[in-house]
Amino acid sequence: MAFGAIGVNPAAPPFGHRGKLFILTHSERVDFMDEEYRPPAPVTFTGRKTLVAAAVAVVLIGAALVIRPAGQADDARPPAPSQRAAAAVGMGAPAAAVDLTALIADREGWLKKHADDEESWAVLGSAYLEQARRTAEPVWYPKAEAALKRSLALRPAEKGNFDAMTAMGALAGARGDFGTAKKWAELVRAQSPQRWTAYPVLVDAYSGLGDYKAAEKAMERLLDLRPGLVGYAKAAQVYRDRGWREDATASMEHAAGAAKSPAEKAYAMFRLGELAWERGESAEALQQYEGALRADPAHGGALGGRARALASLGRHGEAVRDYRLALGRVPVPALALELGELLESLGRREEAQDPYAQVAVLAAERTAKGVNEEVVLGLYEADHGEPANAVRRLTAEWSRHKNVQVADALGWALHRAGDDESALEYAKKATELGLRNADFSYHRAQIEFGLGDEASARRHLQEALRTNPRFSPLRAPLARQALDTVGDPPPGGPENVRPKGRWVAPDMSAYIVPKKKPSQR
């Protein structure tokens, strides 16, 4: 057997016609090569020739470097903190605190010398917004708005400044102004339907306005365009609002799998902790919150979640400590209200007055910067202040945002103000969508109990305790007491359900349609 090579002839003369297939074996003679082909004389280099060749090579390499300078792709070093934060902000994902600070300093320094760079103004505004989300400091919201407006002034919306437009929608959504968020995101979608960054803003805006079907459609479109951390997280949000807890958890687990940076991992684990908490799985929630804090120790939301889980597990001293630490990192009224209720449940009423007073102070500071805190203030007024004020506040909020959170708060405020008939209508709006929230079920049960409907009250009290037996240090014990007061239903079931005599099959002949005979032709 002969061994050789197979290939396509190049243009070299010894191998015949160009492009012709040839097979060359070692056992064959190549007489034509002996006859026609004469190898050239070997090239020898003298010292002078070597120096000349080296000089030419240096010139050629230098010319290549001048023509093509080294780019970022040529740098094997990892991206700088500002680059990591810019990439995260551009993707709508959370960024690490250190990276975010570096990005803000980098863009602020750049814009001092290049004030006409509209793209950098949009990046800076988005970074300010992410800083507001991380720290809950309301001072960042006006800074974000000013930077984004500067970007839009340099390049208006009608000329396609999509990054600034999308960020304006996200800013409005973060402030709780869902109508404005919807307008900005729909404007981006109208001009560029394939731009996926508009759809997370639309999901939040539609949900805040109570249009949950539109939110679901926007989420599906987002997953079609860009499956990943943000898309899966929004899917979990939509499924959770519809009461599909298993789907919500599965989607959030997909989001955790898609997370790449520690900040993204922390965000996903925090959200998984929230879902576990709402299911009443306090130990699982605690593990998720602690995992989030290991990935990102500066995550204030996870610290507040851990405080909530510790309180439900009876570790009250640790819970109070974590609540106070969380308020130092993310000073939001909701955490102050939770701390006050925990202290009150422990019999420390005088100590609870400080966080209760902090609720109003923090809400006022955030409201002055354009942040909507009406639901938290309404619930605080209903339980610890003036219910009539809560009704006025939440009625105005319902005219703007008809979502389940506002419906529940308004129904509860009306109940506390003594109007159970009106309260029931809003309690139904809050619970009939499907969201499984123990507080919502408890509120509706108390309203039904006030109307004398003990059967419905019993059902919703059981639902609240089945959803999360420790949903509140104040209200969960009251739910158990109310269920004991209502008691069990009377034996035998409802009246006239079981027949008293022997069961006789009903006459159904009147409902039988006679079969038609086939026509004969």
Side-chain angles (χ1 to χ4, degrees):
M1 180 180 293
F3 298 91
I6 183 170
V8 178
N9 283 351
F15 295 95
H17 296 290
R18 182 177 184 179
K20 183 178 179 181
L21 181 69
F22 73 91
I23 300 176
L24 180 64
T25 65
H26 294 293
S27 61
E28 296 174 346
R29 292 185 63 228
V30 229
D31 295 337
F32 71 91
M33 293 180 63
D34 297 333
E35 298 173 357
E36 300 178 9
Y37 180 67
R38 296 291 184 271
V43 178
T44 59
F45 284 91
T46 64
R48 182 177 179 183
K49 290 182 179 179
T50 303
L51 290 175
V52 170
V56 171
V58 170
V59 171
L60 291 175
I61 293 172
L65 291 175
V66 171
I67 295 171
R68 181 189 177 278
Q72 184 176 346
D74 302 317
D75 194 349
R77 294 174 298 178
S82 60
Q83 293 172 332
R84 291 195 299 265
V89 168
M91 298 291 288
V98 175
D99 294 349
L100 199 57
T101 302
L103 174 61
I104 290 173
D106 178 76
R107 289 300 87 191
E108 286 178 341
W110 171 265
L111 288 167
K112 287 180 180 178
K113 299 179 180 179
H114 306 84
D116 58 346
D117 185 353
E118 78 277 0
E119 292 182 2
S120 289
W121 281 114
V123 170
L124 182 60
S126 299
Y128 285 153
L129 174 58
E130 180 61 21
Q131 191 77 302
R133 288 170 172 161
R134 282 195 65 92
T135 64
E137 291 288 350
V139 68
W140 293 104
Y141 290 109
K143 292 171 71 71
E145 182 178 1
L148 294 173
K149 285 183 175 179
R150 183 69 179 272
S151 178
L152 288 167
L154 293 168
R155 185 181 180 187
E158 56 269 19
K159 292 187 178 180
N161 192 347
F162 296 120
D163 291 339
M165 294 158 63
T166 304
M168 285 292 283
L171 172 62
R175 281 173 154 174
D177 183 0
F178 300 110
T180 302
K182 173 188 172 184
K183 291 177 181 178
W184 279 111
E186 287 185 343
L187 182 60
V188 174
R189 183 178 62 180
Q191 295 185 27
S192 181
Q194 300 299 317
R195 184 170 290 270
W196 70 270
T197 52
Y199 291 91
V201 182
L202 284 173
V203 172
D204 290 341
Y206 289 140
S207 299
L209 293 170
D211 191 350
Y212 294 99
K213 290 184 178 180
E216 185 175 353
K217 290 181 180 178
M219 175 271 294
E220 292 171 350
R221 183 58 176 156
L222 170 61
L223 288 178
D224 290 339
L225 293 171
R226 187 82 177 196
L229 172 70
V230 177
Y232 293 134
K234 292 305 174 186
Q237 174 184 323
V238 169
Y239 296 150
R240 175 253 183 193
D241 289 344
R242 300 299 295 271
W244 305 336
R245 297 191 297 183
E246 293 78 9
D247 294 321
T249 301
S251 294
M252 207 60 233
E253 288 173 348
H254 285 310
K260 295 179 175 60
S261 68
E264 293 176 3
K265 290 284 186 184
Y267 169 75
M269 296 183 78
F270 165 68
R271 292 286 303 276
L272 284 168
E274 296 287 89
L275 293 172
W277 161 256
E278 290 183 349
R279 295 194 304 268
E281 300 173 2
S282 301
E284 170 66 19
L286 180 60
Q287 290 181 359
Q288 296 290 352
Y289 293 136
E290 288 181 337
L293 287 169
R294 284 193 296 271
D296 184 2
H299 199 295
L303 189 57
R306 188 173 74 176
R308 194 180 310 121
L310 287 170
S312 69
L313 293 171
R315 297 162 62 176
H316 300 129
E318 297 172 85
V320 171
R321 176 206 63 197
D322 276 2
Y323 269 125
R324 286 177 172 155
L325 288 173
L327 279 168
R329 294 184 186 176
V330 282
V332 293
L335 286 178
L337 180 58
E338 289 182 26
L339 174 58
E341 291 183 344
L342 173 60
L343 292 171
E344 184 176 348
S345 71
L346 297 174
R348 298 156 65 175
R349 297 178 184 273
E350 293 184 2
E351 194 176 349
Q353 298 310 309
D354 288 337
Y356 281 153
Q358 198 175 6
V359 173
V361 172
L362 292 175
E365 292 176 354
R366 294 172 66 80
T367 301
K369 303 298 182 182
V371 184
N372 185 345
E373 294 287 355
E374 294 302 293
V375 171
V376 174
L377 280 173
L379 289 172
Y380 168 74
E381 287 283 358
D383 282 325
H384 309 285
E386 294 293 334
N389 292 338
V391 171
R392 287 192 293 270
R393 183 184 298 276
L394 292 167
T395 300
E397 180 64 13
W398 177 255
S399 66
R400 296 186 292 267
H401 303 125
K402 293 178 172 58
N403 58 56
V404 293
Q405 286 77 20
V406 180
D408 167 73
L410 179 54
W412 184 242
L414 287 165
H415 164 73
R416 296 286 292 177
D419 188 357
D420 284 327
E421 290 186 3
S422 299
L424 184 59
E425 296 302 315
Y426 291 99
K428 288 179 178 179
K429 293 179 186 295
T431 54
E432 289 179 349
L433 177 67
L435 174 62
R436 301 185 190 183
N437 185 295
D439 263 311
F440 288 12
S441 298
Y442 170 75
H443 289 162
R444 179 168 178 175
Q446 291 288 12
I447 293 167
E448 290 165 338
F449 189 76
L451 291 170
D453 188 355
E454 293 189 354
S456 297
R458 181 186 304 107
R459 182 173 71 254
H460 288 106
L461 286 170
Q462 291 171 340
E463 182 177 321
L465 294 172
R466 185 168 55 249
T467 300
N468 186 351
R470 297 176 290 271
F471 64 94
S472 165
L474 279 182
R475 292 178 291 282
L478 294 176
R480 286 187 284 271
Q481 293 175 13
L483 190 57
D484 293 338
T485 301
V486 175
D488 296 327
E495 190 177 357
N496 299 324
V497 170
R498 297 180 179 178
K500 296 180 180 180
R502 182 179 179 182
W503 182 80
V504 179
D507 183 12
M508 304 294 292
S509 59
Y511 299 96
I512 299 176
V513 179
K515 295 182 179 180
K516 295 182 179 180
K517 294 182 180 181
S519 59
Q520 298 179 355
R521 296 181 180 177

